[in-house]
Amino acid sequence: MSINDRVIAIIAEQAVLDPSDVTPESTLEDLGIDSLGLVESIFAIEEEFDISIPFNANEPSQSDFDISNVAAIVAGIEKLMSERA
Amino acid sequence: MKRVVITGAGTINSLGHSVPETLEAMREGRCGIGELEFRDVERLAIKIGGQVRGFEAEGRFNRQQMSLYDRFTQFTLAAAKEAITQSGLTFNGDLSARSGVVLGTAGGGVSTWDDNYRSVYEDGKNRVHPFVVPKLMNNAAASHLSMEYNLKGPSFTVSTACASSNHAMAQALAMVRSGMAPVMVTGGSESMLCFGGVKAWEGLRVMSKDACRPFSANRNGMVQGEGAGIFVFEEFEHAKARGADILCEVIGSAMSSDAADIVMPSKQGAARAISGALADARLNPEDVAYINAHGTGTAANDKTECAAVADIFGKHADNLMISSTKSMHGHLIGGTGAVELLACIMALRDGVIAPTIGYEEPDPECALDVVPNEAREAKVNVALSNAFAFGGLNAVLALRKV
């Protein structure tokens, strides 16, 4: 599975949706993921990819990690993975 | 001062997953203590306990709830469902705004601590699930209960080791009595039966390897249990006005501190709590027919408790019945007083005294009627429930038949 598909699978599970209902343009708000759901998703992504995401739950907008939509999350993960490699 | 009655009761413990199952087991003198089953149990010296069996969180709770509910919270919510359903109350408007939750627990989410320490120390993982803190905190159960039933008044958790539930229920009594709250959901929960939880208790060397035999001369220590007991404490006129089925009245309580030793109990501290509860309930010693003992099955507790009872009740000590149901469900630590209150309710409502099972040899230092091995029928109008905690913190409740 591609990084995109793996991320969508995690987010879909968190939102209790079918992966086909999660698009790159979807925002977490669109998908009904609240703040607790968000930190749980971040945790699941870190576990899945063995990376550390610079996400600050106090001020998500100030984090060095863009969560504005699914595509932005995938891009952020790809960047972190390429830096690690 | 308002009168306070109990209009709902719920439990889960090693004797049963409901109040009727638990009372049936107590009537039959059944033992819920057995071989412990969990990871690394083979590394323990103590391998028995009153473990809740056949409790599947899956199916009761959804995935999101499961990620937030430690076992002690799961027990609380299972027992609360039974209690609040029985009460027939739904909380909205002013009732919701003023009613709250006060629960006891000694350890809170012990298995959440245990699992996650294991993960970072033993398995070398460097990341834990984001909900570890909200899952293990001691007030998690009270908070989830408040959310589930829309209880928006004063809610908190008290932690006084083995007396936690009795302190919580004494507090609930005071709050309803004073008019601060029309209804308080109260009781307690504990779930320490995991490797780290039992290992810690092993260190004290007060645990029995074979059975809990309170008051018996050959007793050799306590046995741990787990579970929850939850009650609905309601202002009497409020309950009467809606035609609620009243289980019994809570007529008094007292708390005392030994101010002496962190583990050894004190006869004077226990006696002051018992006499305080009698005074608070405006009772004469002769009014009391049954005491649910703290009765841990340790050498120290049982003789101290019997001496305190003998001191307070004088000649009447030979007439009253005092039993320890810990012999059946084990010591639920912070939840124990709540489950034991059920034995008092059974005595008042059904006229059945739960026995002290495992009783084998009389001990001259515990020469009271401990209702050995078999339940007994008796008419009881007033019952007391004792709890004497490590740290010398004591709380006694007094109940009356309605």
Side-chain angles (χ1 to χ4, degrees), chain A residues 13-14 36 39-40 43 46-47 50-52, chain B residues 63-64 67-68 125 127-131 134:
Chain A
E13 196 196 346
Q14 189 66 40
L36 276 184
V39 287
E40 220 182 355
F43 169 73
E46 288 183 331
E47 290 281 281
D50 193 22
I51 53 174
S52 183
Chain B
R63 195 195 55 151
Q64 180 74 14
S67 68
L68 284 163
K125 282 197 63 170
R127 185 184 297 126
V128 298
H129 192 276
F131 300 167

Side-chain angles (χ1 to χ4, degrees), chain B residues 66-360:
Chain B
M66 295 273 290
S67 68
L68 284 163
Y69 297 172
D70 181 89
R71 193 167 163 88
F72 95 105
T73 298
Q74 296 175 11
F75 288 159
T76 301
L77 293 172
K81 188 174 186 183
E82 185 185 12
I84 294 175
T85 301
Q86 181 180 32
S87 78
L89 287 166
T90 48
F91 296 92
N92 44 46
D94 182 62
L95 185 66
S96 157
R98 295 176 57 226
S99 301
V101 186
V102 52
L103 299 183
T105 188
V110 175
S111 56
T112 298
W113 285 108
D114 204 45
D115 291 345
N116 287 283
Y117 277 152
R118 190 198 302 276
S119 162
V120 294
Y121 293 150
E122 183 179 330
D123 303 338
K125 282 197 63 170
N126 243 350
R127 185 184 297 126
V128 298
H129 192 276
F131 300 167
V132 171
V133 168
K135 193 171 175 183
L136 63 77
M137 59 192 190
N138 279 25
N139 62 309
S143 295
H144 285 296
L145 207 166
S146 76
M147 290 184 253
E148 188 74 25
Y149 295 98
N150 199 32
L151 293 153
K152 296 180 173 174
S155 294
F156 55 100
T157 295
V158 298
S159 189
T160 51
C162 314
S164 301
S165 286
N166 270 22
H167 275 101
M169 294 188 288
Q171 186 62 36
L173 168 66
M175 293 167 83
V176 178
R177 243 184 187 180
S178 69
M180 185 195 281
V183 174
M184 289 298 292
V185 180
T186 186
S189 175
E190 201 74 75
S191 175
M192 291 194 186
L193 295 179
C194 57
F195 178 75
V198 176
K199 183 55 86 180
W201 277 98
E202 259 183 35
L204 271 167
R205 295 167 194 268
V206 294
M207 306 285 282
S208 170
K209 289 181 181 174
D210 52 10
C212 177
R213 301 184 196 88
F215 309 118
S216 187
N218 62 344
R219 66 188 179 276
N220 58 6
M222 54 178 274
V223 175
Q224 228 184 116
E226 65 173 354
I230 300 290
F231 300 90
V232 177
F233 279 24
E234 184 172 359
E235 194 267 309
F236 172 66
E237 294 296 338
H238 188 275
K240 200 173 80 173
R242 64 186 189 87
D245 182 20
I246 293 171
L247 303 182
C248 67
E249 181 171 358
V250 190
I251 53 174
S253 74
M255 314 179 204
S256 70
S257 310
D258 297 346
D261 191 278
I262 196 66
V263 290
M264 287 305 286
S266 138
K267 182 180 80 166
Q268 290 79 8
R272 285 192 296 118
I274 296 169
S275 62
L278 295 177
D280 187 50
R282 296 163 194 268
L283 293 168
N284 295 313
E286 298 71 38
D287 297 330
V288 178
Y290 172 62
I291 300 174
N292 184 280
H294 192 54
T296 56
T298 60
N301 175 82
D302 294 3
K303 65 181 180 193
T304 306
E305 183 168 16
C306 289
V309 167
D311 274 11
I312 297 300
F313 290 92
K315 272 183 111 53
H316 182 62
D318 295 330
N319 301 328
L320 57 75
M321 296 166 282
I322 175 167
S323 69
S324 170
T325 52
K326 286 187 179 75
S327 55
M328 295 180 272
H329 50 63
H331 191 336
L332 278 72
I333 317 294
T336 210
V339 170
E340 291 163 26
L341 203 72
L342 294 168
C344 293
I345 294 175
M346 180 167 78
L348 297 169
R349 262 177 89 81
D350 306 333
V352 176
I353 310 299
T356 304
I357 68 164
Y359 187 85
E360 292 170 350

